[in-house]
Structures are given as C-alpha cells and as structure tokens.
Amino acid sequence: MEDSEMRSYLPGEWGDPERMQVLMGPLPHRELNHVAHTARVTFWSAAIHSWCRAALRPFFTLAECQGAFRRGSQIPVCLPQVLQLMMRQGEIVPMNQLNFTDHKQETWVGWGCRVLVVQPAHMLWGNAVLQEMCGRVVETVWDKRSSHTLLITLKDLHSLVREAVGTLENLELVVKTLVAQGRAATVLHHGTLYVKFASPGDAARPEVLPEELAKSDLREARKRVERSLKALEEEREALRCQAKIALSRGAKTEALFLLRRKKRVDKSVVTQLGVLENLVSWQHHLDDVETNRQVLGALKGGVEALRTALAGDTSPDAAATTLDDLQQVLEECEDLNALVSSNPVAEDLTGLEDELEGLLLAAGEETRMTGEAELEPRLPDVPTEPPLPTSAVPAPRLSL
C-alpha cells in the first residue's frame, strides 16, 4: 500500500520511529504493566477502526490487518492478542457467528464455502463499521430514490450507494444485516435479487408484493423496448441515407435492396410501438391498483378509528351521538358539494359583467352626445324687440 493511501488512517505516532518500535512489539501482560497494556490495546483498537472506515472494510482477516499496518519489514506482533480482546468486548465478531443463510436452503457449494473457506480463515467483522454502512445505505436510498416502494435490484443499488459501501461484497453483507434487523427484505425473481427497504419510522418488516415485482418487470421490459426502438430508428435512417447515396451513383438495384430492408425495419418499428403502448397501459393499470390499495387502507384506518372511539362507551346513547355526528358531517359535505355544483360565484360574476357592460355602453353614448354638443356652434337668441334707430343711439363719450 502506498504512503499516500496509508496517511488517511494511520495514527499520528506513525512518524515517530522510537514510539512505533515499542507499539509494534508484543503486548505486555496486564498484571505486570496495566498502564502499558491498556495504552497498547487502545492505540491498536483505534487504528483498526480508522483503517476499516477509511478502506470501507466491514470484514477482514488477520493477515489483511497485519499487512495494512506493516512498517517496512516489521509487522505488529500484538495484533492477534488485540483482536482477541476486541472480540471479547464485542467490537468485532467472528464471521462464522454471523451466518445469515438458511441452512435448509443452502447449496452444497455454499456449504463448502462456509465450512472450508470462511470459518478457517477466521474472517472478522467490524461491527461498528458495518452499522455505519447500514445507516449510510438507508439514508442514501431515501435521499436519491423517489419511489415509495423502494424495490430495487442489487446491481442498481450498488450503483446508487457505491461511495458508501465500496465493493459489491460489502453491499451483500450490508443487505443481509438489514434483512436480519427487519429493515429490508430480499427476493430472488427471475434470477435477479431485489431489495426492498422499510419506510423511515416503520417498525414492521417490509414485504415484497407481487404487484411490485410485476411493475419492476414492466419497467425493465419498457427499457428494453425503448432501446430496441432507438436502434431500429437509427438503422432505418442509415438505410435511407445509404439508399439515397446508391441512387445518386445510379445503383438502382442496390437502392431497391436497401429500401426493402428499410420496409422490414418499418414493420418492426410498428410492432415495437404496439408492444410499448401495451406496456405503458399495464403500468397505468398497476398504478391504479396501488392507488386503490392506498384508498382502501385509509378507509380501513377510518373504520378502526371509529371502533376505537366506540370502544370506550358502547351504550346506545353513545352510538346515537356518534351517528348524529357522522350525519352532520355528511350533510355539511352535501351542502359543500351543492354549493360548488351551483357555482353562485360564477352567476354573480356573470350578472356583474352584464351590468358593467351596460354601464360602459351608457357612458360611451353619453360621452358621444356630449362631444357632439360641444362641436355644434352656439348662436345668439333671436331678439324679441325691434332694433333702435341710429339717431337714438347715444354717441360714445371720449375722455382726454
């Protein structure tokens, strides 16, 4: 392992040769030197946990642990004893004690691997590291997945949480742990392992429903059909272009052959489009089934709530009171429905719009009449008395 990779988990004392010379030695007896014994165990326990977190190792072997802390040609001599003490304290657990497989369903190959390979290798499991991985996997799934069912294949799940678990082998151990804790469920369907996670805060063990598997099959089939359609579209366009080029060269026979191939591709496209339409229709049907199941669950919850409300007092008066309350609620709902169906607001708005239109027309007519009146010249009134003679008119006086 390179130094750049080792710096991510090695303790600060690693750069002190004299200190590391002491820590790499044998573990002192606890009765003889209690302080040195405790300090040595504390140092290596923290170093092992740091290594497991940095390298994403929920399980390891003694040889792998010694190789991770090799210092030149020197390996920690006290590591076997330290790991034994960590097992006694429950920090790590022997792998053979964490058997998640049902022996009744175990194959001969699995039995041979478990008995002849896993147990003799004394593989160890970092309990704290694995629990942290489980928590990160669940959080990542709920953050990045929008589906409420959270049914996902193991391969897609690894692509989703690769940064949290590292290898696929680590993810398999995480999933087995979550299943054992009741936080996930797995099912093998058509050779593919599916994983379903429990909802946050739900203490019930999740159950994979047949409808969910059917929806997953439809999604996979739809993806395959869409990929096939895309390839057929590209092939059809390529054949059209090749036929056009052949015609430009005067090769009519070749162009006719290419057009015949294009016609067969067109028929395949029509067939695939029909299949895709059927798949989409079935997906809608399954969505309706899920919606109906949710509505039915809500109704069942209402019935249980009603039973709980009636459980305290089963007298005829209590039942009558409850029925009266329900009838009142139903009447209010009917009133609201009638109010919405009659839509009095729309009628009022219609009347107001008619009245407003009439006012606008009247105002326009009045304005027009006023404007015409202002444009007409105003003549003086006709005199009723005869005009005076010129001599009778007094001459104006002038003042200097």
Side-chain angles (χ1 to χ4, degrees):
M1 187 176 292
E2 299 179 357
D3 293 341
S4 60
E5 297 178 353
M6 295 175 66
R7 293 195 188 98
S8 61
Y9 65 85
L10 288 175
E13 292 89 343
W14 197 262
D16 189 349
E18 296 181 358
R19 176 62 176 165
M20 289 308 303
Q21 183 70 24
V22 176
L23 294 173
M24 298 285 282
L27 186 66
H29 290 285
R30 184 175 182 179
E31 293 78 7
L32 299 179
N33 194 339
H34 178 74
V35 176
H37 177 276
T38 304
R40 195 79 51 89
V41 172
T42 302
F43 172 82
W44 285 113
S45 298
I48 291 171
H49 282 300
S50 179
W51 168 57
C52 290
R53 289 189 178 92
L56 295 177
R57 282 184 171 272
F59 59 93
F60 56 90
T61 62
L62 175 61
E64 291 172 345
C65 188
Q66 290 176 335
F69 294 100
R70 178 183 293 274
R71 186 178 175 85
S73 59
Q74 188 180 11
I75 61 174
V77 180
C78 61
L79 275 184
Q81 296 172 293
V82 172
L83 292 175
Q84 289 291 335
L85 291 173
M86 293 176 67
M87 279 192 289
R88 294 176 188 174
Q89 297 174 1
E91 297 182 31
I92 57 177
V93 183
M95 196 68 177
N96 55 7
Q97 297 182 9
L98 299 173
N99 184 24
F100 300 113
T101 305
D102 188 359
H103 293 175
K104 297 180 180 180
Q105 300 179 357
E106 190 176 14
T107 62
W108 285 104
V109 177
W111 176 85
C113 179
R114 177 173 58 85
V115 175
L116 302 176
V117 179
V118 176
Q119 290 183 357
H122 298 291
M123 298 183 72
L124 303 175
W125 175 40
N127 193 12
V129 177
L130 185 56
Q131 295 303 325
E132 292 176 2
M133 280 189 178
C134 292
R136 288 200 299 268
V137 166
V138 174
E139 291 177 1
T140 304
V141 168
W142 278 104
D143 289 342
K144 296 184 179 180
R145 294 280 292 182
S146 59
S147 175
H148 294 288
T149 59
L150 294 180
L151 184 66
I152 183 174
T153 63
L154 186 66
K155 182 179 178 181
D156 294 339
L157 179 61
H158 184 240
S159 301
L160 192 67
V161 298
R162 188 189 302 272
E163 297 181 358
V165 298
T167 64
L168 181 61
E169 191 177 10
N170 292 346
L171 178 59
E172 291 176 352
L173 185 59
V174 168
V175 170
K176 290 180 180 179
T177 304
L178 291 174
V179 171
Q181 296 174 353
R183 301 164 64 187
T186 58
V187 62
L188 188 63
H189 181 65
H190 294 166
T192 302
L193 184 65
Y194 288 87
V195 184
K196 181 180 179 180
F197 294 88
S199 303
D202 191 0
R205 183 183 295 271
E207 180 182 359
V208 181
L209 302 175
E211 292 83 359
E212 295 173 342
L213 294 174
K215 289 179 67 174
S216 179
D217 291 340
L218 288 175
R219 283 195 300 267
E220 294 298 326
R222 182 175 177 178
K223 290 179 182 179
R224 289 194 296 269
V225 172
E226 289 176 349
R227 288 195 297 266
S228 177
L229 279 172
K230 183 178 180 181
L232 289 174
E233 292 287 348
E234 293 175 354
E235 183 180 0
R236 181 169 62 178
E237 183 64 21
L239 289 172
R240 189 185 68 82
C241 295
Q242 292 173 9
K244 186 177 181 180
I245 294 173
L247 284 175
S248 64
R249 297 198 313 265
K252 295 183 179 180
T253 304
E254 181 182 357
L256 182 60
F257 173 74
L258 292 172
L259 290 177
R260 287 176 178 173
R261 287 182 56 189
K262 178 180 175 294
K263 188 175 182 180
R264 290 195 295 268
V265 173
D266 291 339
K267 293 181 179 179
S268 299
V269 169
V270 173
T271 303
Q272 294 293 330
L273 286 174
V275 173
L276 182 60
E277 184 178 356
N278 291 333
L279 291 174
V280 173
S281 177
W282 276 105
Q283 281 186 320
H284 291 331
H285 286 316
L286 289 177
D287 291 338
D288 293 339
V289 170
E290 184 177 356
T291 302
N292 294 336
R293 179 184 291 108
Q294 293 176 356
V295 172
L296 182 60
L299 293 176
K300 289 182 178 179
V303 171
E304 293 298 330
L306 181 60
R307 289 178 179 175
T308 304
L310 293 176
D313 189 0
T314 57
S315 61
D317 294 339
T321 303
T322 304
L323 291 176
D324 292 340
D325 294 339
L326 290 175
Q327 184 64 31
Q328 183 179 358
V329 172
L330 292 175
E331 291 176 357
E332 292 178 357
C333 293
E334 291 178 357
D335 293 340
L336 288 176
N337 292 331
L339 185 62
V340 173
S341 61
S342 62
N343 200 2
V345 177
E347 295 177 359
D348 293 344
L349 288 177
T350 303
L352 290 175
E353 289 176 356
D354 295 339
E355 184 178 356
L356 179 62
E357 185 177 358
L359 290 175
L360 290 175
L361 291 175
E365 183 67 20
E366 183 179 355
T367 303
R368 184 181 61 81
M369 294 178 62
T370 304
E372 292 178 356
E374 291 179 353
L375 291 176
E376 292 180 358
R378 294 185 63 86
L379 298 176
D381 297 335
V382 178
T384 56
E385 297 179 358
L388 297 175
T390 306
S391 59
V393 177
R397 296 180 180 180
L398 301 177
S399 61
L400 297 179

